[in-house]
Amino acid sequence: MEPITHFLTGACIGRAGLNRKTAYATVAAVLAAEAADIDILWSFAGPVESLKHHRGITHTFLAAPIVAGVVVGGIWLWNSWRKRRRTRLADALDQNAKASPAPPPPSWAWLYLTALIAALSHLLLDWTNNYGLRPFFPFNPRWYAGSFVFIVEPVLLAMFSLALVMPWLLGLADREIGARRTPFRGRGWAIFALTGMVLFWCWRWAEQAQARASLENIQVTASPVTRLALEPYPVTPYRWHAILETEDLYQTAEINTWTGEITSDPNRDVI
């Protein structure tokens, strides 16, 4: 998926309840949810190196625990710096001045678990689109792709944005009327967005299966199909782009699972 969806997914993972377990949970989830895309730095070495290494070792089950550890390590350094700074400020205060109470220390075990869940969410989201990833690399170089969600999905962006904006808007309304501030606001909205994403995936998965069954029941090509790929469109789960490969050529087709219509132009076959 594109970076914004990863960031928003991480924010919702943190706010779905893990931020009640420890400080910095949302920060850890946001950073770990996007950290795998650091391999984009290979683009400075040229397009060939970028294509070779993108969604490589950082997008694997082997790297996910390491990514989580690096994120938590960075937060530990930040927390240590803040503690030292708070101590220096307290020492500089007048003896009669009252220093602000120190926040409770983070639970590093919960923080690591949060970062690990977010790091694994990156792999899951990338698997759902048609680019896919190599989760078992370097032991298994095979690419895996669910191919049922477009790489930029406005529906997911809208759900996650709503889940993060609505608590803020409701908080503004509460302050206008002088209501007491609710701690950890937004948990329900975050759970709503994450649940909605899973349901949206299930819907698209079912429509993809229906599109595949329609193609298998109708002879679209003149010769038997050896391989079939179905690519999604954004927003609508009913439209699918099919690539059908035979021994001599491949042919494209468009499927609408809502109407059952399948269109293909044999003049566009490529040998």
Side-chain angles (χ1 to χ4, degrees):
M1 302 297 292
E2 38 70 39
I4 297 178
T5 300
H6 286 302
F7 275 122
L8 296 178
T9 302
C12 285
I13 288 174
R15 299 183 69 174
L18 291 169
N19 60 341
R20 302 187 179 197
K21 298 293 185 180
T22 178
Y24 302 123
T26 301
V27 174
V30 170
L31 293 176
E34 181 52 33
D37 278 342
I38 196 173
D39 59 9
I40 197 174
L41 295 177
W42 281 102
S43 60
F44 291 108
V48 175
E49 291 299 315
S50 176
L51 184 62
K52 184 190 303 183
H53 295 284
H54 183 50
R55 297 198 182 182
I57 191 63
T58 60
H59 289 69
T60 64
F61 291 124
L62 179 67
I66 300 174
V67 167
V70 170
V71 168
V72 173
I75 294 175
W76 180 84
L77 291 174
W78 167 257
N79 184 67
S80 299
W81 176 83
R82 288 190 66 191
K83 286 174 63 177
R84 290 193 299 269
R85 181 173 179 270
R86 190 180 300 110
T87 301
R88 288 195 301 267
L89 291 175
D91 292 340
L93 289 174
D94 186 84
Q95 294 293 333
N96 296 324
K98 185 179 180 181
S100 59
S107 170
W108 298 108
W110 273 108
L111 203 60
Y112 180 80
L113 178 62
T114 301
L116 181 59
I117 292 172
L120 291 173
S121 78
H122 190 112
L123 307 187
L124 180 60
L125 264 69
D126 281 355
W127 170 78
T128 63
N129 60 58
N130 51 349
Y131 195 106
L133 74 165
R134 295 169 285 178
F136 305 106
F137 184 83
F139 308 107
N140 178 1
R142 178 183 172 185
W143 287 82
Y144 294 86
S147 299
F148 56 87
V149 177
F150 196 68
I151 195 168
V152 180
E153 180 49 70
V155 174
L156 298 182
L157 288 171
M159 283 195 299
F160 286 128
S161 298
L162 183 67
L164 297 176
V165 170
M166 283 303 298
W168 176 75
L169 292 176
L170 294 174
L172 288 179
D174 286 348
R175 286 193 289 273
E176 285 288 332
I177 62 176
R180 185 177 179 180
R181 184 178 179 182
T182 304
F184 305 111
R185 182 186 293 274
R187 180 187 185 189
W189 285 99
I191 295 174
F192 156 78
L194 294 172
T195 303
M197 177 177 66
V198 174
L199 293 176
F200 186 65
W201 286 348
C202 293
W203 185 12
R204 277 190 163 277
W205 181 279
E207 294 298 331
Q208 185 194 53
Q210 182 176 340
R212 185 179 300 275
S214 299
L215 283 174
E216 291 174 350
N217 292 331
I218 297 177
Q219 186 70 31
V220 177
T221 59
S223 54
V225 175
T226 56
R227 288 196 301 175
L228 165 65
L230 284 167
E231 311 297 341
Y233 284 95
V235 182
T236 174
Y238 300 117
R239 290 186 59 208
W240 298 88
H241 177 75
I243 304 173
L244 304 98
E245 182 181 352
T246 67
E247 290 185 358
D248 302 318
L249 50 83
Y250 72 82
Q251 183 174 329
T252 61
E254 299 293 322
I255 305 99
N256 188 318
T257 56
W258 176 264
T259 62
E261 180 183 9
I262 299 177
T263 58
S264 179
D265 184 3
N267 294 324
R268 296 177 62 188
D269 294 352
V270 180
I271 297 178

